[in-house]
Structures are given as structure tokens and as C-alpha cells.
Amino acid sequence: MELWGESLTFGAGFFLLLALALALAFEFVNGFHDTANAVATVIYTHTLKPTYAVIWSGCWNLAGVLWSSGAVAYSIVALLPVELVLHSGSGAGFAMIFALLISAIIWNVGTWYLGLPASSSHTLIGSIMGVGVANSLMAGNNWMAGINIGKAQEVGMALLLSPVVGFIGAGGLLLLLKFLIRREDLYKAPEKDSTPPLWIRGVLMLTCTLVSFFHGSNDGQKGMGLIMLILVGLVPGAFALNMANDPARMQSTITELHQLVATVTPLANGATITQDDAIAELTRYDKKGGKPTNATYAAIALEAQTVADKFTLLSDMNAISREDRVALRTDAYLTAECLNKIIKGNLITDPTAAASVKKTKGDLDKLTKYIPTWVKVLVAIALGMGTMIGWKRIVVTVGEKIGKSHLTYAQGASAELMAAATIGLADFMGLPVSTTHVLSSGIAGTMAANRSGLQKETLISILLAWVLTLPVCVFLGATLFASSLYVLFHVFGIH
């Protein structure tokens, strides 16, 4: 079959479409699982009727996805073993995609059915870690070698700190509101079927809008990253590189790459390396615990010169052949990942040279880490539709079962303002956080600050779901990866 200008066998085309459907299914489940948190406050304060609330939230989720930069998408991808990222169209790449998506969907649907606001971010990251662990063990390596520890720690810290920030921040904001705005109606539970004053409705709709928007801009990117992995692996001629680079940008990149060669060549201390060995050396260095050697700097210089030479011979991006696009992606992706490690390790001490290396890394990222508009639109629709369909179970838990008293206007506004600010900051920093954790913690924080009391049974169930999410999804991801490899290799004959 013909897809995006490339000829695929029926089997490859079938698995491509199946993988894309699973990625969109993950975002659909994410919509009715996570985004339900955003509408809980406006529903339980009678600001909006449920039907209007979920449609409003779904639309703003869609807008958030379309606005997103893609930084979070590739932050998630960076957790995967680099050899699977570079060869996502292989049998192992297929097994990886199917394993992490199916395990994430299983856990998300299960916790949704029980009405537990678990984290889709934790779910996906646990599944990714499971794939990495299984891939490493099956290759005969230490299980920790399958995880990008540095990136996992960075992402894990964001996921752990965000609910703490939500709890303390929302509780503190409620107390500040009580001190600054002395209106009793703000701090009382709404009367049955009565709508709040117009200005309060406006504030609560604004906070719901912000949470929905930033949820879309952060959580929606997780599906985008996975879809790009699928597309790059199966139709690399169309998606391996960002074909929107114009000749002027290409020329700027060539100049920066030549500067990079001049910067790192002295650090190689005369070491030389072949093209094949350069790829192997950069892959080694990019893994956990990889230390730079003379060969590492020689490999970076060689790969940078290779990319610069290929660009120099071309008039524009469309002149690159399909085979060269795949090779160029590998060169650019590995070089950028290793430059990122060098930058974070402060291995280039000269400030001017360090700034130049950082700029080169950014330009290489733009070449390989991009999201086409149509991918954003598909993910946005899936996330928005999910929000509009399966919201009720999580909303009931968040609105009724966390605190012992009914949610007040001030509590709803405080929790959502803090959630929107936390998610927005994480999005700016390119870090995935859990909307569920931040908002649920924020509501618990306002209940504690207001001395409304907390329902221990619900909190224990939620905390248990939070604690179990990572280990269960690691197990599911590892098991499904090994099973998928067996099926693809021995049943379908895909290698």
C-alpha cells in the first residue's frame, strides 16, 4: 500500500495503522481519565452544567494541544533506549510501541473504572521503563542499562514534586483569599441547584479553562511523541527529518556545525574513528553511566562534519534521498543527544564555545524533533473527544469523595489556579507532570486548609493507585514487550 509517498507491504501498513490507532486510543482514554479533574470544580460549584462543562473543557484541551511546542513529547521519547528510538521501524520497535501503549491503556481504563484519579503520565513512564528494562535484560545487560537514568530522575522529580506543590500551594492560596477577600459566600458550600454570582462563575470558568488548556499542552504531547516514533520508523522518507528547514537555516546550521568540529576536535587528542564506530561510540556514551573519551569527541566531530557535508551538497531539504534522510536523522539525533549530555556535564568550559554548542544542539533538535500540524490535530481531537465522553467517574471522586464537605467556590478556584500554574510552568520547562496528581492534591490541600476534613478511605485508595502505578506499569510494559517480540518474530516473521 502507498502511505505518505512510500510503498509499504500490507503487514507493515497494517501495523503502522494499528500503532497509530493505539496512540490515539491512549490520548482518548487520557481525555476522559485526566481531564475530568478540570471540570470537577465547575460542576460541583454549579458554575456550569456537566454537558456544557465537558464540551468547554474539551475545546480548550484541543486548543492546548495545537499550541504546544513538542518539548514534552521528546522528553518522554528520551526515556526510551536510544537503539529502539533509532530503529523504531524494526520488529523490536513495533514491540516497544505496542507494549507501552497497551499497558498504559490497560492501567488507565482499570483505574478509571474504579473511579481512581491515577496519573496517565506515571502510567506511560512506567510502561516505558518496563520496555527499557526488558530490552536490556534480553540483550544480556544489567537491567538499569535499559533506563535513561538522568532523564528518568528529571521527569520523576517533576512528577513527585508537582502534587506537593499543588497541596501546599492551593491550601496557601485559599488562606490568602480568606485574608484578602472577606466575602462569606465564597467560602460556603453552594446551595443545591443554585448558581454562583456572575463574577465567581467567571473566575471558576477561567480556572477551568486554564487547567484544560495546559493539560492539553502537556499531556497531549505524550501521544504526539509516540506517533512521531511510529511515523519515523515506518515511513522515514516522509518523517525522518523536518523538511520545513529553508536554505538560510541550513546554511546557518552548516556554519554552527563547522564551529562545533573546531571546538571538539582538540578534545579528541588526535583520536580518529570510522563512521560505523562513531555511531556505536555515541550510542554508548548516551546510555546511563557513559563517560566521554577521546573517541567520543572524535565521533562527535565526525558526525557533525558528516551532517555539514551533506547539507553543503544540497540546495534544499527535498533534495535529500530517502536513504540519506534516515542516515542523516541518526547522525543528527545522536549528536544532539550527546551534546545535551556534554552541556549538562559542563564539559565545555569556555562560555563562548559552550553557548555555540548549545545553539548547535538546538538546531539539530529542530531537524529531528518536530511535530507536524496534522499530528497535533489528531491528538487534539482524540483528547477532546475523550474529555466529552467518559468524565463522570473521576469527577464524582474529585468532587465528592476527597473532602468531608462540599467543595466551595474559593476551594475550586484555588485548586485550579495552582494546578494551571504548575502545569504551565512544567510545560515551559519541557517536563511531563500529572494533571491528576496536581489537581487532586490541590483540592485535598484546600480541604486541609479550610479544616473541612478529608475522607481517609478515598485518600488511601488514591495513594495506593499512585504508588502501584509505576511498578505495575513497569511489569506490564516488560511483559508485553517480551510477548510482542515473540509474536512479531515467530508468528509474523517481522525482524
Side-chain angles (χ1 to χ4, degrees), residues 161-185:
L161 288 179
S162 53
V164 176
V165 171
F167 184 91
I168 296 173
L173 186 56
L174 177 67
L175 295 176
L176 181 64
L177 283 175
K178 282 189 168 185
F179 178 76
L180 295 176
I181 305 175
R182 301 179 183 275
R183 289 192 52 156
E184 290 187 8
D185 53 349

Side-chain angles (χ1 to χ4, degrees), residues 16-26 105:
L16 167 61
L17 297 177
L18 178 60
L20 291 175
L22 282 173
L24 293 174
F26 168 76
I105 290 171

Side-chain angles (χ1 to χ4, degrees), residues 10 39 55 76 88 149 168 200 221 265 318-319 324 383 387 391:
F10 175 79
V39 296
I55 291 174
I76 287 287
S88 55
I149 296 294
I168 296 173
I200 295 178
Q221 293 192 57
T265 297
N318 291 315
D324 280 348
L383 194 66
T387 302
W391 54 274

Side-chain angles (χ1 to χ4, degrees), residues 466-477:
W466 289 5
V467 169
L468 289 177
T469 294
L470 272 177
V472 169
C473 289
V474 167
F475 174 77
L476 282 173

Side-chain angles (χ1 to χ4, degrees), residues 186-271:
L186 267 178
Y187 312 106
K188 288 183 178 179
E191 296 180 12
K192 188 177 180 180
D193 298 328
S194 66
T195 56
L198 186 60
W199 74 275
I200 295 178
R201 291 184 73 186
V203 170
L204 290 169
M205 283 188 66
L206 175 62
T207 58
C208 171
T209 300
L210 289 173
V211 172
S212 300
F213 179 84
F214 284 119
H215 173 267
S217 69
N218 194 283
D219 273 43
Q221 293 192 57
K222 294 152 193 170
M224 291 181 206
L226 297 175
I227 287 175
M228 289 309 297
L229 267 184
I230 297 164
L231 294 173
V232 168
L234 270 296
V235 277
F239 298 103
L241 298 174
N242 184 358
M243 306 305 287
N245 272 355
D246 56 43
R249 181 180 291 178
M250 288 173 65
Q251 188 57 51
S252 173
T253 303
I254 291 168
T255 302
E256 289 162 12
L257 287 167
H258 286 151
Q259 180 61 48
L260 175 64
V261 173
T263 299
V264 299
T265 297
L267 299 175
N269 291 322

